[in-house]
């Protein structure tokens, strides 16, 4: 048989993956993480403001108008007036409007058409039509289709297969074939699997071990992979991923919005998922 | 507490806000979380945790931070004053050269550029190249490049852009921004050269899925899984042959790399066919017409997408889902008006159903001596397991089967090969290859311990397909489907089982009985004994169900059986060897909950 490439037949390249050391953290260090997040803000000057339960301070009509004006003729959404088109912005648009109860402000049908045109033959979705499938974009498109009640348009078995193939022997999930595992993909991939009713297609216990191994016992917080530096982004997705896996110490997190279920229940925005 | 922490820890002390004008309701709990706005600190990838930086390094970092903050503060002040001038341009340059991911800075830069693009296009292109040196995957930098190119009075020659992509892909062959940029250029240029480029990268590393994807986009740019009309077939034959050879090289070089197997599946697939009518079923006694589709659809109650005439007159009835809830479903029901089929008269009735999206008509005739009638699309065996298979010539699939069998002799544990062989054999002849398919699936279970759930469901689909193809019609219109002891973990292909009267699912691993069973309007006996069912939540109203066997399932509470109350003809329910049956109050609870049903507890 032909042997293009440097490897001999039958001898595969070792798969890109990480090794979890035996002394890696194996329990959830809740208190450490709480301390980490709380102290993150004690550094000086310039802050990003995150408000809870304060929708009354925002001008809802202006937000709706801003989003409306970002929808293009083909149903896609730009990120801002500078015109970058990406399915991430389709998700942001409908998620924002759904939380505000204003989904009908845009042309939902056209928006759906555009997102579906970003579907690939491997079952996944990319940034724009023709883009390579990527777990982050898949999360955005699946979330979009959940919010617009179009999950039945997804080829669930095919997408589920692509997603469960993200799991590596270490238990971690990557974002595309042959990439390293990363804790944030524990969210993008896991939430997508949950939305399409295929969470059982990965090994949940191994994933849990991987996520826990990404904790930093000294500083608290989660890093992208064991031994790396922590940051709030990966901390959020590590916690949210553990919640989807059923971690009892963590509240139930909604896989569409990455927000606590009890908040969404209160405002009655809980899109139906595939069971 | 933020991030959904539950737990007894007391609320953290509140941090004062520094932003002027921020409101904070005194009455509501308004937590303000603060984090530095230096980008890149909030999300970092691949940064090894090192010992804390020494004093010199810390001072360096603080200086960088100070410069960044001062530049941004100046820029924002200048924006307030409408002063986005050469100084602003220079400041954005300083910030972006160090950190090309500051979106606001790119926006400010574009505002600060002079009116005539001729003045700045070459400079901006060079500037972006510098930024891509810092972060080759910067969305902001790539977007700016595209923005600049669209405004260039004369676009730079494509070779220069391609050379940039070449350099970046040499450093990171999976940089999808660079691949996409090439594709926007390739639109005008020579696809053969692009195919050769992708081929070169693959010959260095077959596990480069970005290169495989690039090929598929070049070979069939308009081909998508959701093409209108669903017409997109597999690739043109000579193109397909080249790709199949390339895949063969790849899988024999590295049978355990998944990229080539995924690509193979892609090139052998076509767009999922749009929903079409699979079956019409009318029952005079139930006074219902049921329409079953190949995929879940939504039919609004007053919809004009699905219409029926009976002997030429339109039926005005509302459509409802067979699953009992107004959700996307395979089966939709329409009640026949009482005057159409009065109990005493039994007229001959001719129904014609029209599905507007593909303008098809289907018809069924109900004769005077019949209580029920149906029309069902003949089943295409090769499309049951893998509906997207897009290759019509068996010879192509058979050649691939041979390749897989040979490879498995060398690498019996290649999970990509095992799954592909299952797909191919199922597309060719699911009954003829039944045993080989089962063998592959057993081997796959062992070869892929991470994905036991996935393989279980794939095996369930293969068994369901075989079961559907073996369905036998018996006397009195009985249609029996037997799937006992098949290790089923799920119940797919129910849309092909809608005429079944007896369904045997005993001794499987089913965790529940899905709402899609609601399409089985003729089902009389359902044996789901010895499964893993704990609740019948979601169980649909089945009009003809007389007997349900649930013995040997982990059902603990009578309330789990509540949905059965709406099955009008359910007469016998078996619950022996369930935790519920062992409880003393069981009989009483069930008598109350399901009064007209004869329940067996032992």
């Amino acid at each position: 048989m032909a042997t293009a490439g440097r490897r001999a037949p039958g001898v595969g390249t070792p798969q890109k993956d990480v090794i979890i050391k035996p002394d890696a953290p194996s329990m959830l260090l809740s208190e450490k993480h709480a301390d980490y997040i709380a102290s993150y803000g004690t550094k000086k000057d310039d802050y990003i403001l995150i408000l809870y339960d304060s929708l009354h301070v925002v001008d809802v009509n202006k937000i709706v108008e801003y989003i409306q004006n970002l929808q293009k003729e083909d149903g896609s959404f730009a990120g801002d007036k500078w015109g970058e088109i990406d399915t991430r912005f389709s998700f942001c648009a409908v998620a924002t409007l759904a939380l505000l109860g204003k989904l009908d402000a845009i042309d939902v049908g056209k928006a759906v058409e555009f997102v579906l045109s970003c579907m690939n033959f491997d079952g996944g979705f990319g940034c724009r039509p023709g883009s390579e499938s990527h777990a982050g974009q898949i999360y955005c498109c699946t979330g979009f289709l959940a919010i617009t009640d179009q999950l039945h348009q997804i080829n669930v078995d095919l997408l589920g297969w692509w997603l469960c193939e993200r799991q590596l022997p270490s238990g971690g999930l990557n974002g595309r074939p042959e990439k390293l595992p990363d804790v944030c993909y524990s969210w993008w991939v896991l939430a997508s699997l949950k939305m399409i009713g295929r969470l059982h297609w990965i090994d949940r216990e191994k994933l849990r071990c991987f996520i826990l191994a990404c904790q930093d016992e000294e500083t608290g917080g989660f890093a992208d992979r064991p031994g790396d530096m922590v940051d709030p982004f990966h901390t959020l997705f590590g916690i949210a991923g553990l919640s989807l896996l059923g971690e009892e110490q963590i509240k139930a997190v909604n896989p569409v919005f990455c927000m606590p279920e009890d908040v969404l229940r209160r405002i009655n925005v809980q899109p139906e998922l595939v069971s | 507490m933020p991030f959904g922490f539950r737990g007894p820890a007391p609320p953290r002390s509140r941090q004062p806000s520094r932003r002027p004008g921020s409101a904070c309701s005194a009455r509501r709990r308004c937590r303000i979380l603060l984090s530095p706005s230096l980008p890149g600190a909030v999300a970092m990838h691949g940064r090894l945790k090192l010992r804390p930086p020494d004093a010199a390094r810390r001072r360096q970092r603080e200086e960088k931070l100070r410069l960044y903050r001062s530049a941004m503060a100046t820029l924002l002040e200048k924006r307030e004053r409408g002063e986005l001038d050469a100084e602003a341009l220079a400041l954005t340059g300083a910030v972006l050269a160090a950190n090309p991911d500051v979106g606001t800075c790119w926006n400010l830069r574009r505002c600060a550029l002079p009116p005539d693009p001729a003045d700045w296009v070459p400079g901006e292109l060079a500037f972006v190249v510098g930024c891509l040196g810092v972060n080759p995957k910067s969305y902001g930098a790539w977007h700016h490049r595209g923005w600049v190119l669209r405004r260039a009075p004369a676009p730079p020659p494509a070779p220069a852009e391609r050379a940039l992509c070449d350099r970046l892909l040499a450093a990171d062959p999976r940089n999808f921004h660079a691949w996409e940029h090439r594709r926007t250029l390739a639109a005008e240029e020579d696809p053969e050269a692009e195919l050769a480029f992708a081929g070169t990268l693959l010959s260095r590393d077959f596990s480069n899925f970005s290169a495989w994807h690039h090929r598929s986009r070049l070979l069939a740019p308009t081909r998508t899984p959701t093409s209108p009309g669903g017409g997109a077939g597999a690739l043109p034959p000579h193109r397909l042959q080249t790709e199949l050879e390339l895949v063969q090289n790849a899988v024999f070089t590295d049978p355990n790399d998944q990229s080539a197997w995924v690509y193979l599946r892609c090139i052998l697939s076509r767009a999922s066919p749009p929903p079409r009518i699979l079956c019409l079923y009318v029952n005079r006694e139930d006074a219902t017409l049921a329409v079953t589709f190949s995929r879940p659809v939504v039919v609004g109650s007053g919809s004009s997408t699905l219409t029926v005439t009976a002997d030429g007159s339109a039926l005005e009835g509302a459509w409802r889902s067979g699953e009992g809830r107004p959700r996307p479903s395979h089966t939709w029901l329409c009640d026949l008006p009482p005057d159409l089929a009065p109990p005493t008269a039994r007229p001959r009735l001719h129904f014609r159903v029209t599905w507007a999206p593909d303008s098809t008509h289907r018809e069924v005739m109900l004769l005077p001596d019949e209580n029920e009638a149906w029309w069902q699309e003949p089943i295409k065996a090769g499309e049951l397991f893998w509906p997207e298979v897009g290759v019509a010539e068996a010879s192509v699939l058979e050649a691939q089967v041979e390749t897989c069998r040979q490879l498995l002799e060398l690498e019996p544990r290649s999970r990509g090969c095992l799954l592909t062989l299952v797909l191919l054999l199922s597309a060719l002849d699911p009954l003829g290859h039944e045993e080989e398919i089962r063998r592959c699936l057993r081997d796959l279970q062992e070869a892929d311990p991470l994905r036991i759930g996935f393989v279980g469901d794939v095996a369930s689909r293969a068994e369901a397909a075989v079961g559907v193809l073996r369905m036998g019609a018996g006397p009195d219109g009985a249609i029996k489907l037997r799937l006992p002891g098949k290790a089923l973990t799920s119940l797919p292909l129910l849309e092909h089982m809608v005429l079944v009267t007896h369904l045997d699912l005993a001794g499987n691993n089913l965790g529940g009985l899905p709402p899609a069973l609601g399409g089985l309007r003729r089902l009389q006996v359902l044996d789901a004994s010895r499964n893993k069912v704990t609740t019948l939540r979601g169980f649909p109203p089945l009009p003809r169900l007389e007997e349900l066997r649930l013995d040997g399932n982990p059902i603990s509470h009578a309330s789990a059986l509540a949905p059965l109350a709406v099955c009008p003809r359910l007469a016998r329910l078996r619950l022996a060897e369930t935790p519920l049956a062992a409880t003393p109050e069981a009989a009483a609870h069930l008598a109350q909950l399901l009064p007209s049903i004869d329940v067996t507890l032992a």
Side-chain angles (χ1 to χ4, degrees), chain B residues 9-66:
Chain B
R12 300 286 150 175
S13 58
R14 297 180 184 201
Q15 306 292 336
S17 159
R18 303 286 189 96
R19 276 263 165 90
S22 67
C24 179
S25 159
R27 276 190 301 126
R28 292 189 180 221
R29 260 190 71 224
C30 173
R31 265 202 51 68
I32 300 170
L33 247 201
L34 309 169
S35 54
S37 61
L38 177 64
V42 171
M44 299 183 293
H45 288 91
R47 303 261 234 100
L48 208 54
K49 176 179 177 178
L50 304 161
R51 290 290 96 215
D54 57 26
R57 202 113 53 104
R58 212 175 325 173
R59 271 197 297 279
Q60 224 177 37
R61 276 185 54 183
E62 278 167 17
E63 179 59 19
K64 274 174 90 169
L65 187 57
R66 194 191 62 75

Coordinates of all heavy atoms in Angstrom, one line a residue, chain B residues 9-66:
Chain B
A9 N -20.9 29.4 52.3 CA -19.9 30.6 52.5 C -20.7 31.9 52.6 O -21.6 32.1 51.8 CB -18.9 30.6 51.4
P10 N -20.3 32.8 53.5 CA -21.0 34.1 53.5 C -20.7 34.9 52.3 O -19.7 34.7 51.7 CB -20.4 34.7 54.8 CG -19.1 34.1 55.0 CD -19.2 32.7 54.4
P11 N -21.6 35.9 52.0 CA -21.3 36.7 50.8 C -20.0 37.4 51.0 O -19.6 37.8 52.1 CB -22.5 37.7 50.9 CG -23.5 37.2 51.8 CD -22.8 36.3 52.7
R12 N -19.3 37.6 49.9 CA -18.0 38.3 49.9 C -18.3 39.8 50.1 O -19.3 40.3 49.7 CB -17.3 38.1 48.5 CG -17.1 36.6 48.3 CD -16.0 36.1 49.1 NE -16.2 34.7 49.4 CZ -15.3 33.9 50.1 NH1 -14.2 34.5 50.5 NH2 -15.6 32.7 50.3
S13 N -17.3 40.5 50.6 CA -17.4 41.9 50.8 C -17.5 42.6 49.4 O -16.9 42.2 48.4 CB -16.2 42.5 51.5 OG -15.1 42.2 50.8
R14 N -18.3 43.6 49.4 CA -18.6 44.2 48.1 C -17.5 45.2 47.7 O -16.9 45.9 48.5 CB -19.9 45.0 48.2 CG -21.0 44.1 48.4 CD -22.3 44.7 48.5 NE -23.3 43.7 48.9 CZ -24.6 43.8 48.7 NH1 -25.1 44.9 48.2 NH2 -25.4 42.8 49.0
Q15 N -17.2 45.3 46.4 CA -16.1 46.2 45.9 C -16.8 47.4 45.4 O -17.8 47.3 44.7 CB -15.4 45.5 44.8 CG -14.8 44.1 45.2 CD -13.7 44.2 46.2 OE1 -13.1 45.2 46.3 NE2 -13.5 43.1 46.9
P16 N -16.3 48.5 45.7 CA -16.9 49.8 45.1 C -16.7 49.9 43.6 O -15.7 49.4 43.1 CB -16.1 50.9 45.9 CG -14.8 50.3 46.3 CD -15.1 48.8 46.5
S17 N -17.6 50.4 43.0 CA -17.5 50.6 41.6 C -16.7 51.9 41.3 O -16.9 52.9 41.9 CB -18.9 50.7 40.9 OG -18.8 51.4 39.7
R18 N -15.9 51.8 40.2 CA -15.1 53.1 39.9 C -15.7 53.7 38.7 O -15.3 54.8 38.2 CB -13.7 52.7 39.6 CG -12.9 52.0 40.7 CD -12.6 52.9 41.8 NE -11.7 52.3 42.7 CZ -10.4 52.4 42.7 NH1 -9.8 53.2 41.8 NH2 -9.6 51.8 43.6
R19 N -16.7 53.1 38.1 CA -17.3 53.6 36.8 C -18.3 54.7 37.2 O -19.2 54.5 37.9 CB -18.0 52.6 36.0 CG -17.1 51.7 35.2 CD -17.2 52.3 33.8 NE -16.1 51.8 33.0 CZ -16.1 50.7 32.3 NH1 -17.3 50.0 32.2 NH2 -15.1 50.3 31.6
P20 N -18.1 55.9 36.6 CA -19.1 57.0 36.9 C -20.4 56.6 36.3 O -20.5 56.0 35.3 CB -18.5 58.2 36.2 CG -17.6 57.7 35.2 CD -17.1 56.4 35.7
G21 N -21.4 56.9 37.0 CA -22.8 56.7 36.5 C -23.3 55.3 36.6 O -24.4 55.1 36.1
S22 N -22.6 54.4 37.2 CA -23.2 53.1 37.3 C -24.2 53.1 38.4 O -24.1 53.6 39.4 CB -22.1 52.0 37.6 OG -21.6 52.3 38.9
A23 N -25.3 52.4 38.1 CA -26.4 52.4 39.1 C -26.4 51.1 39.9 O -25.9 50.1 39.4 CB -27.7 52.5 38.3
C24 N -26.8 51.2 41.0 CA -26.8 49.9 41.8 C -28.0 50.0 42.7 O -28.1 50.8 43.7 CB -25.5 49.8 42.7 SG -25.5 48.3 43.7
S25 N -29.0 49.2 42.5 CA -30.2 49.3 43.2 C -30.0 49.0 44.7 O -29.3 48.0 45.0 CB -31.2 48.3 42.6 OG -32.2 48.0 43.6
A26 N -30.5 49.9 45.5 CA -30.2 49.6 47.0 C -31.1 48.4 47.4 O -30.6 47.7 48.2 CB -30.6 50.9 47.7
R27 N -32.2 48.3 46.8 CA -33.1 47.2 47.3 C -32.7 45.8 46.9 O -32.7 44.9 47.6 CB -34.6 47.5 46.9 CG -35.3 48.4 47.9 CD -36.7 48.5 47.6 NE -37.0 48.9 46.2 CZ -37.8 48.2 45.4 NH1 -38.3 47.0 45.8 NH2 -38.0 48.6 44.2
R28 N -32.3 45.7 45.6 CA -31.9 44.4 45.1 C -30.5 44.1 45.4 O -29.6 45.0 45.4 CB -32.1 44.4 43.6 CG -33.6 44.5 43.2 CD -33.7 44.3 41.9 NE -34.9 44.3 41.2 CZ -35.1 43.4 40.3 NH1 -34.3 42.4 40.1 NH2 -36.2 43.4 39.5
R29 N -30.2 42.8 45.5 CA -28.8 42.5 45.7 C -28.1 42.7 44.3 O -28.4 42.0 43.4 CB -28.7 41.0 46.1 CG -28.5 40.8 47.5 CD -28.2 39.3 47.8 NE -26.8 39.0 47.4 CZ -26.6 37.8 46.7 NH1 -27.5 37.0 46.4 NH2 -25.3 37.5 46.4
C30 N -27.1 43.6 44.3 CA -26.5 43.9 43.1 C -25.0 43.7 43.3 O -24.3 44.5 43.9 CB -26.8 45.3 42.7 SG -25.8 45.9 41.2
R31 N -24.5 42.5 42.8 CA -23.1 42.3 43.1 C -22.3 42.8 41.9 O -22.6 42.6 40.8 CB -22.9 40.8 43.2 CG -22.9 40.4 44.7 CD -22.2 39.1 44.9 NE -20.8 38.9 44.4 CZ -19.8 39.6 44.8 NH1 -19.9 40.5 45.7 NH2 -18.6 39.4 44.3
I32 N -21.2 43.5 42.2 CA -20.4 44.0 41.2 C -19.1 43.3 41.2 O -18.4 43.3 42.2 CB -20.1 45.6 41.4 CG1 -21.5 46.3 41.3 CG2 -19.2 46.1 40.3 CD1 -21.4 47.7 41.8
L33 N -18.8 42.6 40.1 CA -17.5 41.9 40.0 C -16.5 42.7 39.3 O -16.9 43.3 38.2 CB -17.7 40.6 39.3 CG -17.6 39.3 40.1 CD1 -17.3 38.2 39.1 CD2 -16.5 39.3 41.1
L34 N -15.3 42.8 39.7 CA -14.3 43.6 39.1 C -13.2 42.8 38.5 O -12.7 41.9 39.2 CB -13.8 44.6 40.1 CG -14.9 45.4 40.9 CD1 -14.3 46.1 42.0 CD2 -15.6 46.3 39.9
S35 N -12.8 43.1 37.4 CA -11.5 42.4 36.9 C -10.8 43.4 36.0 O -11.4 44.2 35.3 CB -11.9 41.2 36.1 OG -12.8 41.4 35.1
P36 N -9.5 43.3 35.9 CA -8.7 44.3 35.1 C -9.1 44.1 33.7 O -9.3 43.0 33.2 CB -7.3 43.9 35.4 CG -7.3 42.5 35.9 CD -8.6 42.3 36.6
S37 N -9.1 45.2 33.0 CA -9.5 45.1 31.6 C -8.3 44.9 30.7 O -8.4 45.1 29.5 CB -10.3 46.4 31.2 OG -9.4 47.5 31.3
L38 N -7.2 44.6 31.2 CA -6.1 44.2 30.3 C -6.4 43.0 29.6 O -6.6 41.9 30.2 CB -4.8 44.0 31.1 CG -3.6 43.6 30.2 CD1 -3.2 44.7 29.3 CD2 -2.4 43.3 31.1
P39 N -6.6 43.1 28.3 CA -7.0 41.9 27.6 C -6.0 40.8 27.6 O -4.8 41.1 27.7 CB -7.3 42.4 26.1 CG -6.5 43.6 26.1 CD -6.3 44.2 27.4
G40 N -6.4 39.6 27.5 CA -5.4 38.5 27.5 C -5.2 38.0 28.9 O -4.8 36.9 29.1
A41 N -5.6 38.8 29.9 CA -5.4 38.3 31.3 C -6.7 37.5 31.7 O -6.6 36.6 32.6 CB -5.3 39.5 32.3
V42 N -7.8 37.7 31.0 CA -9.0 37.0 31.4 C -9.0 35.6 30.8 O -9.6 34.7 31.3 CB -10.2 37.9 30.9 CG1 -11.5 37.1 31.1 CG2 -10.3 39.1 31.7
A43 N -8.4 35.5 29.6 CA -8.4 34.2 29.0 C -7.1 33.9 28.4 O -6.6 34.7 27.5 CB -9.5 34.1 27.9
M44 N -6.4 32.9 28.8 CA -5.1 32.6 28.3 C -5.0 31.1 27.9 O -5.5 30.3 28.7 CB -4.0 33.0 29.3 CG -4.0 34.4 29.7 SD -2.7 34.8 30.9 CE -3.2 33.9 32.3
H45 N -4.3 30.8 26.9 CA -4.1 29.4 26.5 C -2.7 29.1 26.4 O -1.9 29.9 25.9 CB -4.8 29.2 25.1 CG -6.3 29.2 25.2 ND1 -7.0 30.3 25.0 CD2 -7.2 28.2 25.4 CE1 -8.3 30.0 25.1 NE2 -8.4 28.8 25.4
G46 N -2.4 27.9 26.9 CA -1.0 27.4 26.8 C 0.1 28.2 27.5 O 1.2 28.2 27.1
R47 N -0.3 28.8 28.6 CA 0.7 29.6 29.4 C 1.1 28.7 30.6 O 0.3 28.6 31.6 CB 0.2 30.9 29.8 CG -0.3 31.7 28.7 CD 0.8 32.7 28.2 NE 0.2 34.1 28.2 CZ 0.4 35.0 29.2 NH1 1.1 34.7 30.2 NH2 -0.2 36.2 29.1
L48 N 2.3 28.2 30.6 CA 2.7 27.4 31.7 C 2.8 28.2 32.9 O 3.3 29.3 32.9 CB 4.1 26.8 31.3 CG 4.5 25.5 31.9 CD1 3.4 24.4 31.6 CD2 5.8 25.0 31.3
K49 N 2.4 27.6 34.0 CA 2.6 28.3 35.3 C 4.0 28.2 35.8 O 4.5 27.1 36.0 CB 1.6 27.6 36.3 CG 1.8 28.3 37.7 CD 0.9 27.7 38.7 CE 1.1 28.3 40.1 NZ 0.2 27.7 41.1
L50 N 4.6 29.4 35.9 CA 6.0 29.4 36.4 C 6.1 29.9 37.8 O 5.1 30.4 38.3 CB 6.8 30.3 35.4 CG 6.7 30.0 33.9 CD1 7.1 31.1 33.0 CD2 7.6 28.8 33.7
R51 N 7.2 29.9 38.3 CA 7.4 30.5 39.6 C 7.1 32.0 39.6 O 7.2 32.5 38.5 CB 8.9 30.3 40.1 CG 9.3 28.9 40.4 CD 8.7 28.4 41.7 NE 7.5 27.7 41.4 CZ 6.4 27.7 42.2 NH1 6.4 28.4 43.3 NH2 5.4 26.9 41.9
P52 N 6.6 32.6 40.6 CA 6.3 34.0 40.6 C 7.4 34.8 40.0 O 8.6 34.6 40.3 CB 6.0 34.4 42.0 CG 5.8 33.1 42.8 CD 6.5 32.0 42.0
P53 N 7.1 35.8 39.2 CA 8.2 36.6 38.5 C 9.0 37.4 39.6 O 8.5 37.8 40.6 CB 7.4 37.6 37.6 CG 6.0 37.6 38.1 CD 5.8 36.3 38.8
D54 N 10.3 37.5 39.2 CA 11.1 38.2 40.2 C 10.8 39.7 40.1 O 10.0 40.1 39.2 CB 12.6 37.9 39.9 CG 13.0 38.2 38.5 OD1 12.3 39.1 37.9 OD2 13.9 37.6 38.0
A55 N 11.4 40.5 40.9 CA 11.1 41.9 41.0 C 11.3 42.6 39.7 O 10.5 43.4 39.3 CB 12.0 42.5 42.1
A56 N 12.4 42.3 39.0 CA 12.6 42.9 37.7 C 11.5 42.6 36.7 O 11.0 43.5 36.0 CB 14.0 42.5 37.2
R57 N 11.2 41.4 36.7 CA 10.1 41.0 35.7 C 8.8 41.6 36.0 O 8.1 42.1 35.2 CB 10.0 39.5 35.7 CG 9.4 38.9 34.4 CD 10.4 38.0 33.6 NE 11.0 37.0 34.4 CZ 10.7 35.7 34.3 NH1 9.7 35.3 33.5 NH2 11.4 34.8 35.0
R58 N 8.5 41.7 37.3 CA 7.3 42.3 37.8 C 7.2 43.8 37.4 O 6.2 44.3 36.9 CB 7.1 42.1 39.3 CG 5.7 42.0 39.7 CD 5.6 41.7 41.2 NE 6.7 40.9 41.6 CZ 6.9 40.6 42.9 NH1 6.1 41.1 43.8 NH2 7.9 39.9 43.2
R59 N 8.4 44.5 37.6 CA 8.4 45.9 37.2 C 8.2 46.0 35.7 O 7.5 46.9 35.3 CB 9.8 46.5 37.6 CG 9.8 47.0 39.0 CD 11.0 48.0 39.2 NE 12.3 47.3 39.0 CZ 12.9 46.6 39.9 NH1 12.4 46.4 41.1 NH2 14.1 46.0 39.6
Q60 N 8.8 45.1 34.9 CA 8.6 45.2 33.5 C 7.1 45.1 33.1 O 6.6 45.8 32.3 CB 9.3 44.0 32.9 CG 10.1 44.3 31.6 CD 10.9 43.1 31.1 OE1 10.4 42.0 31.2 NE2 12.1 43.3 30.6
R61 N 6.4 44.1 33.7 CA 5.0 43.9 33.5 C 4.2 45.1 33.8 O 3.3 45.5 33.1 CB 4.5 42.6 34.2 CG 4.8 41.3 33.5 CD 4.1 40.2 34.2 NE 2.7 40.4 34.5 CZ 1.9 39.6 35.1 NH1 2.4 38.5 35.7 NH2 0.7 39.9 35.3
E62 N 4.5 45.6 35.0 CA 3.8 46.8 35.5 C 4.0 48.0 34.5 O 3.0 48.8 34.3 CB 4.2 47.2 36.9 CG 3.4 46.3 37.9 CD 4.0 46.3 39.3 OE1 4.7 47.3 39.6 OE2 3.7 45.4 40.1
E63 N 5.2 48.1 34.0 CA 5.4 49.2 33.1 C 4.6 49.0 31.8 O 4.0 50.0 31.3 CB 6.9 49.2 32.7 CG 7.4 50.3 31.8 CD 7.0 51.7 32.2 OE1 6.8 52.0 33.4 OE2 7.0 52.6 31.3
K64 N 4.6 47.8 31.3 CA 3.8 47.5 30.1 C 2.3 47.8 30.4 O 1.6 48.4 29.5 CB 3.9 46.0 29.8 CG 5.1 45.6 28.9 CD 5.2 44.1 28.7 CE 4.4 43.6 27.5 NZ 4.7 42.2 27.1
L65 N 1.9 47.4 31.5 CA 0.5 47.7 31.9 C 0.2 49.2 31.9 O -0.8 49.7 31.5 CB 0.2 47.0 33.2 CG -1.3 47.0 33.7 CD1 -2.2 46.4 32.7 CD2 -1.4 46.3 35.0
R66 N 1.1 49.9 32.5 CA 1.0 51.4 32.7 C 0.9 52.0 31.3 O 0.0 52.8 31.0 CB 2.1 51.9 33.5 CG 1.9 53.4 34.0 CD 3.2 54.0 34.5 NE 4.3 54.1 33.5 CZ 4.3 55.0 32.6 NH1 3.3 55.9 32.5 NH2 5.3 55.0 31.7

